[in-house]
Amino acid sequence: MSASVPPAEGPSGPEHPSGASVVVAPGEVSGSGSGEKGLRGNALGLFSSVAIGLASTAPAYSLAATLGLIVVGVGLQAPIITILAFIPMLLIAYAYKEMNAVDPDCGTTFTWAARAFGPRTGWMGGWGIIVADIIVMANLAQIAGSYGFQLVGHPSLASSDLWTTVAGVVWIVLMTFICYIGIEISAALQRVLLCVEVAMLVLLSVTALVKVYGSHPPATAIHISGSWFNPFQVPTASALTAGILSAVFIYWGWDTAVSVNEETADKTRTPGRAAVLSTVILLLIYALVSTSTQAFAGVGDKGIGLANPDNSGDVLSGLGGAIFGTTGFGWFLSKVLIFMVLTSAAASTQTTILPTARTSFSMALHKAIPSQFGRVHPRFATPTWSTVAMGLVSIAFYVLMTRISTNVLADSISSVGLGIAFYYGLTGFACVWYFRKVLRRSARDLWFKGILPLLGGLMLLYFFCYAAFDVYAAPDYGSTTVTMPWGKVGGVSVIGIGSLLLGFVLMLIQWAVQGSWFRHPDVPVSAATEAEVAALEVRNDPAA
């Protein structure tokens, strides 16, 4: 039975962390309502949800770190690559929207994959979210630490592994504390940071275009051409695929808007709308920035060219001074741009903690991991152990990778794309399979519950396989190489696949130690029926 169409009464379910018995319908997800789990319901509106979704992607940081790499691979076709990468993200956003409408559980992929395919697949879906977020936290912390020193005029400290690690740890502690003391404070901070970020990106783009088409354009300037938006002009099919794979990363994170669904007003509709809106807004931002900066800087490998290897890891810092100038008000704006990338990474650090904490929180309530992670703060109504544990594990991973090798850290960050493709793609397939019995009910159901999520899942499955066994597996890809029995393999592929296999091992351990989730799951494998979906639509109709 669908979790979102409860009958009048049902048997008692598992005990709530507070000790109160939770009443659930037969086959319903135990504790799927915010009141049942103890989280603060109705704390977020649509704007706050969109802000959290956008902030999670860290638009400024993502562009700074990725745009140069895309240009190196595809040249002048970088704008169309950023647009094409939007397609699988939008398709999966619709899968999130449809699944959230019937089961607004903060476990998202964990719960939905379990409902569609069973508890073991669901557990691995939850692990995909957790491992991807933990890995990316290391990079976000490092960027926040480095940019913080640049902002206050200490470039020597910004290039020091020790001090950037210390600053990064401080950032993680601070963001963990903000997430711990309440979702409203987290959302308020995100709204402010996001407005500054988007405003600066638009200002950067407009200023760049004005100078390109002005009377004294920079020597690197090139006018916008229709060929920039023609994917068939990319030199090779492999370059096209690799470019899209890199660009997919800059869209990742919008699903945080759905992870906080149980703390959102109108939780069956608002989070899904926020997810779709977030991806569309990101498309507009990325298309504008990639086009304008390419027109201003060109794609050369010298000076401020986007393909310059010296700028490849941080495109925006070099462009800020060139576009705004280095004196007077222009100097101030270039500093604001650096501050914006810093806040972008910091905001994403915060919003990366949110979904991971809520995924582990949901897994704990369903007894898929130790029950301590299901505790809620009596005052702040936030997951306590899950939030703190996310911060501590992220710190441990970051410090460990830094101590081992900055090359290993860099390759671990590059591998995060495999985790993203895994759990996003799994959500798409779960949506299609769960709604398989209602796809012929209407054209809308066929497209939004079936065709679009299926296409999104297939695209991400292709990107996962292509990346894991071709691009990332090449010995010359990334900064490390691992010798396997069959030969040398790129460290990025080994870390990415290895981190997912680690989850499989942990699942077996959990199965042996506390196996109730696997033997008697409270999320039964089921499929939505036409009657249940119709009842859900009536219940969610404001006019009903």
Side-chain angles (χ1 to χ4, degrees):
M1 183 177 191
S2 171
S4 293
V5 191
E9 57 185 30
S12 294
E15 195 173 76
H16 184 275
S18 65
S21 178
V22 178
V23 178
V24 294
E28 183 177 300
V29 179
S30 171
S32 62
S34 57
E36 293 170 355
K37 286 183 179 173
L39 300 176
R40 194 180 301 283
N42 300 316
L44 306 174
L46 180 61
F47 180 64
S48 292
S49 296
V50 171
I52 287 176
L54 289 174
S56 298
T57 65
Y61 157 70
S62 298
L63 284 167
T66 309
L67 184 56
L69 300 176
I70 296 173
V71 169
V72 169
V74 302
L76 290 170
Q77 277 64 52
I80 187 59
I81 293 298
T82 61
I83 293 172
L84 290 176
F86 157 78
I87 296 174
M89 294 296 99
L90 179 65
L91 301 181
I92 297 301
Y94 276 113
Y96 270 78
K97 182 175 183 292
E98 296 299 328
M99 289 303 298
N100 181 78
V102 299
D103 189 2
D105 189 290
C106 63
T108 60
T109 302
F110 156 71
T111 310
W112 302 336
R115 188 171 295 283
F117 301 121
R120 290 172 291 279
T121 305
W123 202 98
M124 287 302 298
W127 173 254
I129 297 174
I130 292 171
V131 73
D133 286 345
I134 289 174
I135 290 175
V136 84
M137 281 285 283
N139 194 31
L140 292 170
Q142 188 177 46
I143 291 294
S146 176
Y147 268 81
F149 288 128
Q150 289 185 44
L151 183 65
V152 296
H154 289 285
S156 60
L157 295 179
S159 60
S160 167
D161 291 337
L162 172 62
W163 286 107
T164 54
T165 301
V166 171
V169 169
V170 171
W171 273 113
I172 294 176
V173 171
L174 178 61
M175 294 301 109
T176 301
F177 175 73
I178 292 175
C179 292
Y180 184 89
I181 61 177
I183 188 68
E184 296 100 330
I185 295 176
S186 299
L189 179 61
Q190 293 304 325
R191 289 195 298 268
V192 174
L193 295 179
L194 181 68
C195 288
V196 174
E197 187 173 352
V198 173
M200 280 303 301
L201 286 175
V202 171
L203 180 61
L204 178 79
S205 301
V206 172
T207 305
L209 290 176
V210 168
K211 291 194 173 183
V212 167
Y213 287 93
S215 55
H216 300 288
T220 56
I222 48 179
H223 284 189
I224 298 173
S225 169
S227 64
W228 296 7
F229 304 94
N230 182 1
F232 298 104
Q233 300 236 352
V234 176
T236 64
S238 60
L240 176 67
T241 304
I244 295 177
L245 186 64
S246 298
V248 162
F249 172 77
I250 66 179
Y251 286 95
W252 174 48
W254 50 263
D255 53 300
T256 301
V258 187
S259 296
V260 294
N261 48 17
E262 300 188 46
E263 295 148 282
T264 306
D266 197 0
K267 65 181 181 180
T268 60
R269 296 194 302 167
T270 299
R273 291 177 176 177
V276 174
L277 281 173
S278 296
T279 58
V280 173
I281 294 172
L282 286 170
L283 168 66
L284 298 176
I285 293 173
Y286 292 153
L288 174 63
V289 175
S290 62
T291 302
S292 60
T293 54
Q294 181 169 292
F296 182 89
V299 296
D301 57 1
K302 305 295 182 183
I304 59 172
L306 297 184
N308 185 338
D310 294 333
N311 301 333
S312 61
D314 183 8
V315 169
L316 294 185
S317 286
L319 285 175
I323 292 174
F324 292 130
T326 57
T327 59
F329 190 62
W331 174 86
F332 170 76
L333 290 178
S334 64
K335 285 293 185 181
V336 173
L337 186 65
I338 293 176
F339 175 72
M340 178 199 64
V341 178
L342 166 64
T343 58
S344 178
S348 189
T349 303
Q350 178 194 345
T351 49
T352 299
I353 295 169
L354 291 175
T356 315
R358 279 144 184 82
T359 298
S360 58
F361 172 71
S362 178
M363 293 176 75
L365 289 188
H366 290 292
K367 298 184 179 180
I369 60 175
S371 58
Q372 288 88 343
F373 291 95
R375 294 182 179 177
V376 178
H377 196 283
R379 175 184 172 190
F380 302 131
T382 55
T384 52
W385 273 55
S386 291
T387 301
V388 173
M390 173 56 184
L392 292 177
V393 172
S394 298
I395 290 172
F397 178 80
Y398 177 37
V399 173
L400 178 64
M401 289 297 100
T402 303
R403 292 283 295 172
I404 293 175
S405 168
T406 54
N407 289 336
V408 175
L409 175 61
D411 280 359
S412 69
I413 293 164
S414 297
S415 73
V416 77
L418 297 180
I420 298 168
F422 173 75
Y423 83 85
Y424 271 1
L426 181 59
T427 305
F429 292 132
C431 179
V432 176
W433 192 243
Y434 180 71
F435 287 111
R436 64 189 183 276
K437 294 183 179 180
V438 302
L439 297 182
R440 291 182 293 179
R441 195 177 65 123
S442 67
R444 186 199 179 282
D445 287 331
L446 177 62
W447 280 98
F448 292 100
K449 293 180 173 66
I451 294 176
L452 298 184
L454 178 61
L455 288 176
L458 290 173
M459 287 181 184
L460 290 171
L461 176 61
Y462 168 74
F463 290 139
F464 179 92
C465 294
Y466 178 80
F469 305 113
D470 189 343
V471 179
Y472 293 169
D476 58 348
Y477 187 90
S479 305
T480 60
T481 303
V482 179
T483 301
M484 306 296 285
W486 57 87
K488 292 185 176 181
V489 181
V492 176
S493 182
V494 173
I495 294 172
I497 296 177
S499 63
L500 292 175
L501 291 178
L502 173 62
F504 183 77
V505 173
L506 293 176
M507 181 185 71
L508 295 179
I509 294 173
Q510 175 65 19
W511 194 344
V513 174
Q514 181 191 0
S516 59
W517 163 253
F518 303 100
R519 299 186 184 96
H520 307 289
D522 57 0
V523 180
V525 178
S526 60
T529 66
E530 292 190 12
E532 290 170 347
V533 174
L536 175 74
E537 291 172 347
V538 170
R539 195 187 74 177
N540 289 341
D541 185 357

